[in-house]
Amino acid sequence: MLWTIGGIFCDLEKACDCVNHDILLSKLKFCGISDKDFQLYPSYLGNKYCRTSIYNDSENSNKVSDWAKVRHGVSQDYILGPLLFLLYINDIPKIINKTSAPIIFADGTSILFAHSNPVDFNKNIYIVFITLNKWQRANQLSLNSNKTNYIHFTTKRIMSINLKIGCNNNFITNISYTKFLGVTMNNTLSWNNHIDLIMKKLSKASYIIRNAKTYMSVSSLKVIYYAFFHSVMSYSIILRGNSWHSYIIFRIQKMPIEL
């Protein structure tokens, strides 16, 4: 039996800035936060105001708008902000997990599909995408159609299928590879694209180390090595380490030591 497999890799537009405070507080109550614990959140979110100042060159003066209360957005500078955003979108899997496998990570939500029948596969994608758009409108969020993509996973011998996925005349792009949590995935699940990208970064890091060795100490060179070379080389090595294409990384990893 040949299964049809694909994935929609979503990108929410200005995600943290569009979080509605009233909707967020109602979801916190639904999660069981109440009494004194709940009172902390209106205090954290409320009593914030903003205004806009525009400098006019011709008049050599500032035009300032009236103060307006901030009713949307959570700060990304603190741990609490991203946590509140995750609570805000935490109900997505409940509405689409019957026909798909959603993976939520901050504003980069991904939805995987698999079915033995291509007709039902296409139907499930359409239903989930419409449901997701309804949820976004209800929660005052929107997809960034330029960064939201669809990948049809297949083998090298089978041609990929281009699906027309969209809503309200906004269609997402069919692509052959995308970046997911720092890992470049392609439609055949090989590591060629990811390793090629790593090689470019490692080559630049080797160039930096080679030019810095004449006027920097060994301890400083080690800092550069771990920051620009080792961190890139070791990321996702458990996943791509057995790929036949990885030999070029193992070959280039000796360069900083030889330098």
Side-chain angles (χ1 to χ4, degrees):
M1 182 183 295
L2 188 63
W3 283 70
T4 306
I5 303 173
I8 297 177
F9 295 84
C10 305
D11 184 86
L12 294 175
E13 196 168 21
K14 297 180 180 179
C16 290
D17 296 332
C18 297
V19 172
N20 181 277
H21 293 172
D22 294 333
I23 297 176
L24 175 60
L25 292 173
S26 65
K27 291 189 176 187
L28 291 176
K29 282 186 177 180
F30 181 80
C31 291
I33 301 175
S34 58
D35 301 330
K36 292 183 179 179
D37 295 332
F38 177 79
Q39 294 174 10
L40 294 173
Y41 295 98
S43 175
Y44 171 75
L45 297 170
N47 299 321
K48 294 179 181 179
Y49 295 84
C50 66
R51 65 177 179 177
T52 303
S53 176
I54 301 175
Y55 179 74
N56 191 325
D57 281 332
S58 59
E59 299 180 4
N60 194 24
S61 62
N62 286 329
K63 300 292 183 180
V64 182
S65 67
D66 296 331
W67 288 100
K69 188 173 183 180
V70 177
R71 303 183 185 276
H72 295 79
V74 290
S75 175
Q76 302 179 54
D77 299 332
Y78 307 99
I79 297 176
L80 185 59
L83 179 61
L84 290 175
F85 177 76
L86 289 175
L87 289 171
Y88 193 80
I89 64 173
N90 193 48
D91 54 338
I92 291 180
K94 294 181 180 179
I95 62 173
I96 60 175
N97 63 357
K98 292 182 180 179
T99 55
S100 64
I103 302 171
I104 293 181
F105 186 85
D107 60 341
T109 300
S110 304
I111 309 170
L112 301 179
F113 303 86
H115 206 285
S116 58
N117 189 324
V119 176
D120 291 335
F121 175 82
N122 295 345
K123 183 180 178 181
N124 289 343
I125 289 181
Y126 176 77
I127 293 173
V128 167
F129 196 76
I130 294 297
T131 304
L132 183 63
N133 273 270
K134 289 180 179 178
W135 179 91
Q136 289 170 346
R137 287 197 299 271
N139 290 272
Q140 300 184 14
L141 296 175
S142 61
L143 278 180
N144 186 340
S145 56
N146 294 325
K147 294 183 178 180
T148 299
N149 305 301
Y150 169 78
I151 293 183
H152 182 80
F153 296 107
T154 182
T155 60
K156 295 180 180 178
R157 297 180 180 180
I158 302 176
M159 295 292 292
S160 61
I161 302 173
N162 289 328
L163 297 180
K164 196 174 183 180
I165 306 170
C167 180
N168 298 326
N169 294 323
N170 290 323
F171 296 95
I172 63 177
T173 309
N174 288 259
I175 57 174
S176 58
Y177 66 91
T178 188
K179 200 169 185 179
F180 178 66
L181 301 182
V183 175
T184 303
M185 299 174 56
N186 61 17
N187 57 348
T188 59
L189 292 181
S190 66
W191 292 98
N192 297 6
N193 298 97
H194 183 68
I195 291 174
D196 289 342
L197 181 63
I198 289 177
M199 285 299 299
K200 293 179 181 179
K201 293 181 178 179
L202 295 181
S203 298
K204 290 180 180 178
S206 298
Y207 177 79
I208 293 172
I209 295 172
R210 183 170 63 249
N211 285 273
K213 71 174 184 177
T214 56
Y215 54 87
M216 296 187 71
S217 63
V218 176
S219 59
S220 298
L221 290 174
K222 285 183 179 180
V223 173
I224 296 176
Y225 168 78
Y226 281 107
F228 293 99
F229 195 98
H230 186 270
S231 60
V232 174
M233 183 186 66
S234 59
Y235 186 75
S236 73
I237 192 172
I238 296 177
L239 300 174
R240 55 159 174 85
N242 291 326
S243 171
W244 70 269
H245 202 49
S246 291
Y247 77 93
I248 58 175
I249 296 180
F250 297 137
R251 195 163 56 185
I252 198 176
Q253 69 178 347
K254 299 177 183 179
M255 290 180 60
I257 299 175
E258 294 172 353
L259 293 173

